[in-house]
Amino acid sequence: MTTSTSDSALPAIQALQAELGPGAVFIAADVPARNRNDYSGIGPTAPLAMVRPADTAGVAVALRICHTHGVAVVPQGGLTGLCGGGRAGAHEVALSLERLVGIQEIDTASATMTVLAGTPLEVVQKAAAEAGFFCPLDLGARGSCAIGGNLSTNAGGNRVIRYGMARDMVLGLEAVLADGTVMTSLNKMIKNNAGFDLKHLFIGSEGTLGIITRIVLRLFPKPASTMVAMFAADDYATVLKLLSAARNGLGPTLSAFEVMWPDYWAMATRRVRGVRNPFAGDPRSEKDDADAYGAYVLVEALGTDAAQDAPRFQAWLEGLLEDGTVPNAVVSQSLADEKAFWGVRDACAEFHQLWPGHLAFDIGLPVTAMDDYARRCKAAITAQLPGCEAVFYGHIGDGNVHIVTYQSGVPAQPKDAVEEIVYGLVREYGGTVSAEHGIGTLKRRWLAHARSPEQIALMRTLKAAMDPKNILNPGKVI
């Protein structure tokens, strides 16, 4: 075993080994490669050490030791974060929750699940389904992201319009504070107004105030039917009309409203291998001129009556075509169709093959301002950075736009210049620099574009009160 480490941190490392056992502590060069990076694209780091406690008590021991010796700790889950929140530096200890895995209880009467924080989201989803329930939180990294990490960043995903963000699915949790104190509040009650709702201190704070170890999730009725349709829209005004019609006509069954601007549509359907154009045969969907469609919308509805849901959805769709709200639409007739429709929206996961090293953004805006923002942002990027392409898409029903940019023929992507444009306009429109991915280190410099000085000051007051030695994920968020 490699034992090289700084003299000042050596007592902490020795104490961690004594308390947790040598098999739970990896030092310097022995830290596994997967614990040296996340999905932020920043590049690998070399942590001082990595610890992998087996339970909450082990997490508490690790934090107590590190707090005593003044050694910083960076919590790690599935390491699928996009903003650098899980990267541990040379003088920091990475604390992996990979051993805190498992479903502890499913309470069918309360419709809750108690789960350990390191459990992959997909495991949570499958356990809920096997018990006859539904866990609506869903994102592309479901197979590897950890539920604790989902909460630490307050993940969003595809169904926020119906079920809310990750915090809306949590009733209680357990977290370990900076000094090793265990705060257990595994509440199962929807109504519980006994003082401050402390769970919200930890949800969305990216491990800077405490490390989540257990969670009580709300479960929902399992959908009996799924309906998916793809709409073509003449312009953004049509998109807004369709959103209103979906809310009014589909009511609580509306579970996704995803919009793709023409630039995204062209890249996804023409350049990404294996993606099928649902409007094949409609020449407007292949055009890039003034006759092309102005936007494309994927609508999903999850129903509770398999016999009646599909006919109702079909009638709603036909009504929109008949009254001229939309010029064209196609509805899924099979599971294969559903996957194909979602395949267009999820094609962004393959953009790295076409645009290696591309820049990706996750912003929030007032829904009415999104198209104006997209037009101004794209125009500014192409004017200031010749040859730079930009595509726009997102969860428009809940105010979230994603942007992907790429400039070919340059040694490195113009990150600073693009961020100045993207986030400068976000501030102008009163939006947020992070809708669902967190702040981490990558967006820390832009936090003031979305939060007031008073808000940031209060965040720092909370941080100083709960972590006076600043050992929990230092340098992240604020």
Side-chain angles (χ1 to χ4, degrees):
M1 179 182 68
T2 302
T3 57
S4 117
T5 187
S6 66
D7 291 340
S8 61
L10 186 57
I13 300 300
Q14 291 173 335
L16 288 168
Q17 289 177 317
E19 293 274 3
L20 300 177
V25 182
F26 298 80
I27 304 174
D30 293 331
V31 174
R34 74 172 298 274
N35 297 95
R36 296 171 180 264
N37 209 354
D38 58 11
Y39 282 21
S40 62
I42 301 174
T45 62
L48 174 70
M50 188 272 278
V51 299
R52 46 195 301 269
D55 50 26
T56 298
V59 175
V61 166
L63 284 181
R64 173 176 54 78
I65 292 171
C66 289
H67 185 265
T68 298
H69 294 278
V71 175
V73 178
V74 177
Q76 296 183 339
L79 289 164
T80 60
L82 299 174
C83 298
R87 298 170 73 254
H91 302 290
E92 298 174 331
V93 171
L95 192 153
S96 174
L97 299 173
E98 61 192 51
R99 295 173 69 191
L100 273 73
V101 175
I103 312 298
Q104 291 197 323
E105 179 194 51
I106 294 180
D107 185 334
T108 57
S110 297
T112 61
M113 174 190 293
T114 304
V115 58
L116 292 170
T119 308
L121 174 59
E122 191 169 49
V123 173
V124 174
Q125 294 172 330
K126 290 180 178 178
E130 290 170 1
F133 290 99
F134 181 56
C135 173
L137 182 63
D138 188 45
L139 40 144
R142 65 187 68 84
S144 49
C145 64
I147 187 66
N150 297 151
L151 298 189
S152 74
T153 56
N154 189 30
N158 298 330
R159 300 190 177 105
V160 172
I161 193 171
R162 175 168 175 177
Y163 296 99
M165 299 286 282
R167 73 169 65 250
D168 298 302
M169 304 174 199
V170 180
L171 292 177
L173 57 74
E174 176 182 79
V176 184
L177 306 184
D179 63 358
T181 299
V182 178
M183 199 283 299
T184 302
S185 179
L186 298 175
N187 169 68
K188 294 182 181 180
M189 297 170 287
I190 295 175
K191 292 183 176 181
N192 186 347
N193 284 333
F196 301 161
D197 196 347
L198 297 175
K199 66 177 180 284
H200 291 298
L201 288 171
F202 307 101
I203 301 172
S205 60
E206 301 184 43
T208 61
L209 302 181
I211 298 179
I212 297 170
T213 53
R214 285 192 291 173
I215 307 110
V216 178
L217 295 170
R218 291 184 67 183
L219 300 179
F220 294 82
K222 184 187 292 187
S225 61
T226 301
M227 289 73 63
V228 182
M230 191 74 80
F231 294 84
D234 287 324
D235 48 32
Y236 193 70
T238 302
V239 172
L240 295 181
K241 290 179 182 177
L242 180 58
L243 177 58
S244 178
R247 285 172 170 159
N248 293 327
L250 301 177
T253 67
L254 177 62
S255 56
F257 191 91
E258 305 288 310
V259 175
M260 294 153 278
W261 272 261
D263 45 39
Y264 176 92
W265 182 266
M267 184 162 179
T269 60
R270 300 177 205 171
R271 298 170 66 180
V272 177
R273 184 177 300 175
V275 174
R276 173 168 62 87
N277 181 356
F279 294 107
D282 181 345
R284 287 189 66 184
S285 71
E286 302 288 347
K287 289 179 178 281
D288 292 310
D289 55 22
D291 294 327
Y293 289 121
Y296 299 85
V297 184
L298 184 150
V299 174
E300 179 192 79
L302 300 177
T304 58
D305 188 335
Q308 299 189 45
D309 290 333
R312 287 173 178 168
F313 188 83
Q314 182 73 37
W316 171 76
L317 183 150
E318 290 174 354
L320 294 171
L321 291 169
E322 290 171 2
D323 66 17
T325 299
V326 293
N328 201 356
V330 287
V331 64
S332 64
Q333 301 295 328
S334 64
L335 181 59
D337 284 345
E338 291 176 20
K339 290 182 177 180
F341 290 3
W342 274 107
V344 182
R345 170 57 181 81
D346 293 338
C348 53
E350 304 303 321
F351 284 4
H352 65 92
Q353 297 182 11
L354 300 168
W355 289 351
H358 67 252
L359 302 176
F361 299 88
D362 156 50
I363 64 169
L365 295 164
V367 175
T368 54
M370 289 180 176
D371 188 58
D372 189 51
Y373 173 94
R375 292 175 184 276
R376 290 184 59 192
C377 186
K378 188 178 183 71
I381 288 172
T382 54
Q384 296 180 35
L385 302 165
C388 189
E389 298 181 75
V391 300
F392 298 76
Y393 64 103
H395 320 289
I396 304 308
D398 46 62
N400 184 191
V401 177
H402 294 290
I403 307 164
V404 179
T405 73
Y406 184 74
Q407 186 175 25
S408 58
V410 296
Q413 292 301 301
K415 182 175 181 292
D416 290 344
V418 177
E419 286 184 347
E420 288 282 357
I421 295 169
V422 170
Y423 295 138
L425 285 170
V426 164
R427 180 168 56 180
E428 181 180 332
Y429 282 87
T432 176
V433 299
S434 180
E436 58 180 354
H437 292 167
I439 296 295
T441 56
L442 286 183
K443 297 185 181 182
R444 190 182 180 203
R445 63 183 285 216
W446 304 106
L447 184 62
H449 278 47
R451 297 295 192 187
S452 69
E454 294 78 13
Q455 289 173 316
I456 294 174
L458 181 55
M459 292 181 200
R460 289 175 176 158
T461 297
L462 287 169
K463 173 68 170 173
M466 297 181 67
D467 183 17
K469 290 188 176 182
N470 192 31
I471 71 160
L472 280 176
N473 223 2
K476 313 292 171 56
V477 186
I478 55 175

